[in-house]
């Protein structure tokens, strides 16, 4: 089967320079979300809960509506949005700290209740915005600014597997983990992987439109804070992170991927 | 509800909010405010108020207040209720909300602190509520009921002010007023339309935001907010009792003001010219009304360490007498009268 990506800039994408670091997939995710919003024709009723982390300036890049959320609280804010106006589509892009650290209660309770929202976790195993400290998803022995000798899981706990935690609620209609870092293949980018990321974003919105809770964890890179080259960062995702955080489809109550 | 009813302050506040067109309530139980979510849960289940779309008991106060932010962002009438320890957890969100110019109502039924304290009445959240208890330069509008009737009236006023100024409004009751039972009549509130053209959803791109990376942009935003807070001064409300010819003027709010009214009457019986100014809004503070009496002796009676006394002093630019109770204890009429006798005899306390 041939895969193709649209080359036209999405309507829902603002034509401004993005602040994301070169080599980071946040910009790719932003563009994919813009593209999906266009194709589904949902811009006027889409609200983004803008979380604290590298995605904090997303309101500058996407033409949907935006609510700046306190750190970790986007799932609660979006629950309030949906309760008062169920016709809106509510989503957020969160980093490891926002979703898995400070926001753990809000993240879990939105899943426990099965709120009809869409949560995108950009897991890069580090706190990017604040300069490279340990995240709940930092790997064992990974060096960060607050684990200069490498993460000691005895002291600091094991990396957190959100597929397991969200899965345990039994309430996710669409639960998926997928690398967003482009897979290096013979020194080139594997385009197919980007198409699958776009499908995941589409399904996460579709699940909400059917009344379900959707959570997609993207395994992304952070070459700046990992202090790796861009190509080594992609390898770190596809060779190391996938061992700790196995990609896969963990729940699909509406059989969206079968279609 | 339009007939005369006998109920608790907390219940009256809940029904007052429903009558005002409450759309969403998200809250976490905490004594002495839990009757508010309980009453609303009952009415939500009974579906007797068509505007009341959403009720949810959240998992924490941080969840509650952030759900309120979400609902308010869509232009809905949203509310939560809590007490001191819970309100402390909400401070980050309160700061965001004022910075983002969101309208909603928070009921804080003040219990004794600091820390876990106890569930008795105090007025110790005065500074937290009137100064903007979270980070940054902002203010909350604060309404201070002193009766079950005022608890019933407060939500309508609160939502009106919230949407007029696009700012959170706190209904600050002490635990006594929250738990007190009196017979009251609910005012008939006509249909209200609020300007929610700023709310998310629909045509265009609405951004509800408090981040301004450029320093000049943020300073401009702050100056705009400060002008807004200054313009709220005209909403100051207060009540005066025998103040005109008074030599000693009590300033008190909430349950303290009820006791002090009796103390004023008792003092008058002994020949002391006592009077009282009762602030009904704590922010904006009725400083002009109090300033008019600045030549009098002031006695600020409050259930905290003297928080409102600071505002009285700022208004009259001189020292004031204080009578403070804490720990859940309320002032006694006798003690307040004795204090006025001391002041009258020229003994500074």
């Amino acid at each position: 089967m041939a895969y193709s990506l649209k080359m036209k800039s999405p309507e829902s994408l603002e034509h401004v320079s993005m602040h994301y670091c070169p080599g980071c997939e946040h910009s790719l995710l932003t563009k994919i979300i813009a593209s999906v919003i266009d194709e589904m024709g949902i811009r006027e009723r889409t609200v983004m809960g803008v979380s604290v982390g590298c995605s904090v300036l997303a309101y500058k890049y996407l033409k949907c509506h935006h609510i700046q959320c306190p750190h970790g609280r986007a799932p609660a804010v979006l629950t309030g949005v949906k309760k008062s106006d169920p016709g809106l589509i509510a989503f957020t892009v969160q980093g490891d700290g926002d979703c898995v650290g400070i926001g753990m209660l809000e993240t879990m309770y939105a899943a426990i209740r099965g709120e009809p929202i869409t949560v995108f976790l950009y897991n890069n195993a580090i706190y990017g915005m604040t300069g490279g400290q340990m995240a709940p998803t930092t790997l064992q022995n990974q060096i960060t600014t607050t684990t200069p000798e490498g993460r000691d899981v005895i002291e600091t706990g094991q990396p957190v597997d959100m597929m397991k935690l969200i899965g345990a609620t039994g309430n996710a209609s669409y639960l998926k983990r997928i690398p967003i870092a482009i897979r290096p293949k013979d020194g080139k980018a594997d385009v197919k992987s980007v198409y699958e990321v776009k499908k995941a974003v589409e399904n996460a919105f579709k699940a909400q439109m059917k009344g379900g809770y959707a959570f997609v964890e993207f395994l992304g890179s952070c070459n700046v804070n990992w202090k790796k080259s861009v190509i080594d960062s992609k390898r770190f995702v596809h060779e190391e992170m996938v061992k700790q955080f196995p990609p896969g489809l963990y729940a699909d109550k509406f059989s969206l991927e079968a279609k | 509800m339009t007939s005369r009813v006998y109920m608790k302050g907390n219940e009256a506040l809940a029904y007052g909010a429903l009558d005002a067109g409450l759309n969403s309530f998200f809250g976490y139980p905490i004594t002495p405010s839990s009757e508010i979510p309980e009453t609303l849960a009952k009415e939500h289940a009974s579906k007797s108020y068509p505007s009341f779309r959403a009720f949810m008991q959240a998992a924490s106060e941080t969840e509650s207040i952030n759900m309120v932010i979400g609902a308010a962002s869509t232009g809905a009438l949203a509310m939560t209720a809590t007490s001191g320890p819970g309100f402390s957890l909400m401070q980050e969100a309160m700061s965001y909300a004022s910075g983002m110019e969101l309208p909603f109502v928070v009921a804080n039924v003040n219990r004794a602190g600091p820390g876990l304290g106890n569930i008795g009445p105090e007025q110790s959240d005065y500074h937290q509520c009137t100064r903007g208890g979270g980070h940054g330069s902002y203010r909350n509008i604060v309404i201070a009921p002193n009766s079950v009737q005022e608890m019933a009236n407060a939500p309508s006023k609160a939502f009106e002010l919230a949407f007029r100024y696009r700012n959170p409004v706190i209904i600050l009751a002490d635990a006594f007023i929250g738990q007190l039972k009196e017979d009251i009549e609910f005012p008939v509130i006509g249909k209200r339309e609020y300007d929610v053209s700023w709310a998310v959803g629909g045509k265009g791109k609405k951004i509800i935001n408090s981040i301004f990376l450029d320093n000049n942009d943020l300073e401009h935003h702050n100056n705009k907010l400060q002008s807004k807070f200054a313009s709220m001064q005209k909403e100051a409300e207060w009540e005066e009792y025998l103040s005109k010819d008074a030599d000693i003027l009590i300033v008190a709010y909430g349950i303290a003001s009820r006791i002090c009214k009796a103390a004023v009457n008792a003092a008058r019986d002994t020949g002391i010219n006592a009077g009282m100014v009762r602030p009904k809004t704590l922010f904006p503070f009725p400083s002009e009304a109090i300033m008019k009496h600045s030549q009098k002796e002031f006695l600020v009676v409050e259930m905290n360490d003297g928080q409102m006394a600071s505002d009285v002093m700022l208004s009259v630019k001189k020292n004031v007498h204080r009578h403070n109770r804490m720990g859940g204890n309320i002032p006694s009429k006798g003690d307040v009268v004795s204090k006025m006798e001391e002041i009258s005899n020229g003994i500074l306390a």
Side-chain angles (χ1 to χ4, degrees):
Chain A
M1 192 173 180
Y3 294 95
S4 67
L5 284 174
K6 291 195 160 81
M7 298 309 287
K8 205 172 62 137
S9 178
E11 279 296 312
S12 293
L13 190 70
E14 299 275 17
H15 283 206
V16 295
S17 308
M18 295 188 180
H19 77 286
Y20 304 118
C21 300
C24 170
E25 289 88 23
H26 260 104
S27 57
L28 179 62
L29 181 58
T30 306
K31 290 166 197 166
I32 288 173
I33 289 170
S35 179
V36 169
I37 288 174
D38 278 357
E39 285 164 20
M40 290 183 161
I42 54 174
R43 190 202 308 169
E44 285 182 354
R45 57 191 184 105
T46 297
V47 179
M48 180 179 194
V50 186
S51 292
V52 173
C54 292
S55 64
V56 74
L57 296 181
Y59 64 92
K60 294 193 179 203
Y61 311 140
L62 288 168
K63 283 186 189 164
C64 57
H65 301 281
H66 298 273
I67 305 170
Q68 194 84 50
C69 301
H71 198 14
R73 315 301 179 204
V77 174
L78 297 180
T79 297
V81 168
K82 295 286 296 209
K83 286 284 170 195
S84 64
D85 193 345
L88 296 174
I89 308 286
F91 81 98
T92 182
V93 175
Q94 298 182 280
D96 319 327
D98 210 83
C99 178
V100 189
I102 187 172
M104 180 60 91
L105 182 144
E106 282 76 14
T107 297
M108 290 311 301
Y109 268 90
I112 286 166
R113 296 189 198 103
E115 298 291 350
I117 65 173
T118 299
V119 177
F120 295 124
L121 165 60
Y122 186 97
N123 176 4
N124 57 9
I126 205 154
Y127 281 3
M129 171 63 75
T130 44
Q133 299 83 18
M134 184 189 84
T137 48
T138 294
L139 303 185
Q140 182 170 345
N141 300 325
Q142 189 180 334
I143 293 175
T144 71
T145 61
T146 49
T147 60
E149 318 258 295
R151 181 177 189 175
D152 174 3
V153 296
I154 309 287
E155 265 289 306
T156 66
Q158 295 284 347
V160 178
D161 187 333
M162 287 312 287
M163 294 296 106
K164 290 209 174 105
L165 291 191
I166 302 287
T169 68
N171 267 336
S173 294
Y174 185 70
L175 183 61
K176 187 172 175 100
R177 177 188 281 134
I178 181 169
I180 189 172
I182 296 183
R183 189 180 300 121
K185 191 173 163 188
D186 310 321
K188 295 194 179 108
D190 178 3
V191 167
K192 177 185 160 190
S193 61
V194 176
Y195 182 79
E196 284 166 17
V197 169
K198 186 171 176 223
K199 262 280 165 235
V201 169
E202 276 172 21
N203 288 339
F205 278 110
K206 280 181 183 160
Q208 180 183 156
M209 284 147 105
K210 289 175 184 291
Y213 169 88
F215 186 102
V216 179
E217 179 179 337
F218 298 107
L219 300 179
S221 67
C222 182
N223 61 88
V224 170
N225 288 305
W226 290 351
K227 303 195 191 327
K228 295 183 191 302
S229 69
V230 170
I231 195 84
D232 282 348
S233 308
K234 312 303 178 195
R235 289 195 185 110
F236 185 75
V237 172
H238 286 278
E239 290 164 20
E240 297 305 321
M241 284 184 75
V242 295
K243 286 193 277 194
Q244 181 69 48
F245 304 114
L249 182 64
Y250 289 81
D252 186 10
K253 291 189 179 169
F254 299 121
S255 303
L256 296 166
E257 293 212 351
K259 295 179 182 135
Chain B
M1 289 201 146
T2 51
S3 50
R4 222 159 165 85
V5 286
Y6 179 68
M7 61 169 59
K8 268 191 190 188
N10 283 342
E11 293 167 339
L13 190 151
Y15 284 111
L18 289 168
D19 281 349
L22 179 69
N23 172 292
S24 307
F25 180 90
F26 309 105
Y28 189 76
I30 179 169
T31 310
S33 69
S34 303
E35 290 86 353
I36 297 168
E38 287 168 350
T39 304
L40 292 173
K42 187 178 80 175
E43 293 303 334
H44 188 252
S46 75
K47 300 189 190 338
S48 8
Y49 294 85
S51 310
F52 190 29
R53 290 191 79 144
F55 171 89
M56 186 182 292
Q57 181 178 313
S60 75
E61 285 88 352
T62 57
E63 241 209 338
S64 303
I65 192 67
N66 282 287
M67 289 177 179
V68 168
I69 282 181
S73 296
T74 69
L77 271 66
M79 186 172 135
T80 187
T82 187
S83 186
F87 191 53
S88 289
L89 285 175
M90 298 180 179
Q91 294 312 304
E92 184 200 26
M94 295 298 290
S95 170
Y96 269 74
S98 192
M100 304 200 289
E101 304 199 73
L102 279 177
F104 58 75
V105 176
V106 179
N108 180 6
V109 187
N110 201 153
R111 58 189 263 175
L116 195 51
N118 66 36
I119 56 172
E122 262 191 2
Q123 297 179 316
S124 44
D125 297 346
Y126 181 94
H127 272 156
Q128 185 186 45
C129 293
T130 61
R131 294 300 186 267
H135 60 285
S137 305
Y138 73 97
R139 288 292 181 272
N140 307 304
I141 297 172
V142 184
I143 295 173
N146 85 334
S147 65
V148 179
Q149 183 65 64
E150 289 196 351
M151 287 288 261
N153 300 346
S156 164
K157 184 80 197 172
F159 278 116
E160 197 188 328
L161 292 173
F163 279 86
R164 183 180 305 160
Y165 292 97
R166 287 185 56 189
N167 202 68
V169 177
I170 301 169
I171 300 173
L172 180 61
D174 53 72
F176 205 110
I177 299 296
Q179 295 298 319
L180 181 63
K181 271 187 158 175
E182 296 183 292
D183 71 305
I184 61 168
E185 202 168 309
F186 282 90
V188 177
I189 302 167
K191 190 110 172 59
R192 292 233 193 95
E193 289 292 325
Y194 296 116
D195 172 17
V196 292
S197 51
W198 47 266
V200 294
K203 296 227 173 297
K205 171 179 172 175
K206 312 280 177 40
I207 305 176
I208 310 256
N209 203 0
S210 59
I211 182 173
F212 297 85
L213 283 184
D214 179 88
N215 293 0
N216 291 328
D217 287 345
L218 187 53
E219 187 168 31
H220 177 80
H221 180 65
N222 266 284
N223 286 333
K224 183 182 123 184
L225 292 177
Q226 289 299 312
S227 300
K228 187 166 75 165
F229 301 135
S231 77
M232 292 171 182
Q233 192 57 42
K234 59 183 172 304
E235 309 291 349
E237 278 188 34
W238 68 96
E239 187 186 51
E240 301 199 34
Y241 182 66
L242 304 181
S243 58
K244 207 156 171 215
D245 69 330
D247 297 322
I248 298 173
L249 204 54
I250 289 178
V251 185
Y253 72 97
I255 189 63
S257 67
R258 301 285 291 266
I259 297 159
C260 287
K261 188 170 184 183
V264 164
N265 290 335
R268 286 263 172 183
D269 286 347
T270 72
I272 295 174
N273 288 337
M276 180 169 69
V277 174
R278 171 173 77 94
K280 294 168 74 174
T281 59
L282 302 176
F283 184 90
F285 192 69
S287 37
E288 269 192 51
I290 286 173
M291 261 162 58
K292 289 199 170 82
H293 302 284
S294 53
Q295 70 284 8
K296 301 179 162 96
E297 286 295 320
F298 280 85
L299 172 59
V300 186
V301 179
E302 47 186 336
M303 289 129 64
N304 58 44
D305 56 327
Q307 298 181 21
M308 184 168 63
S310 316
D311 282 342
V312 179
M313 282 174 65
L314 276 171
S315 304
V316 302
K317 298 183 175 38
K318 67 182 191 189
N319 215 344
V320 300
H321 306 280
R322 300 149 194 260
H323 181 67
N324 302 329
R325 297 304 303 267
M326 289 181 278
N329 285 328
I330 56 174
S332 74
K333 183 181 79 175
D335 283 352
V336 177
V337 173
S338 301
K339 190 78 183 194
M340 286 193 275
E341 281 166 357
E342 276 174 38
I343 296 168
S344 192
N345 295 337
I347 301 162
L348 287 165

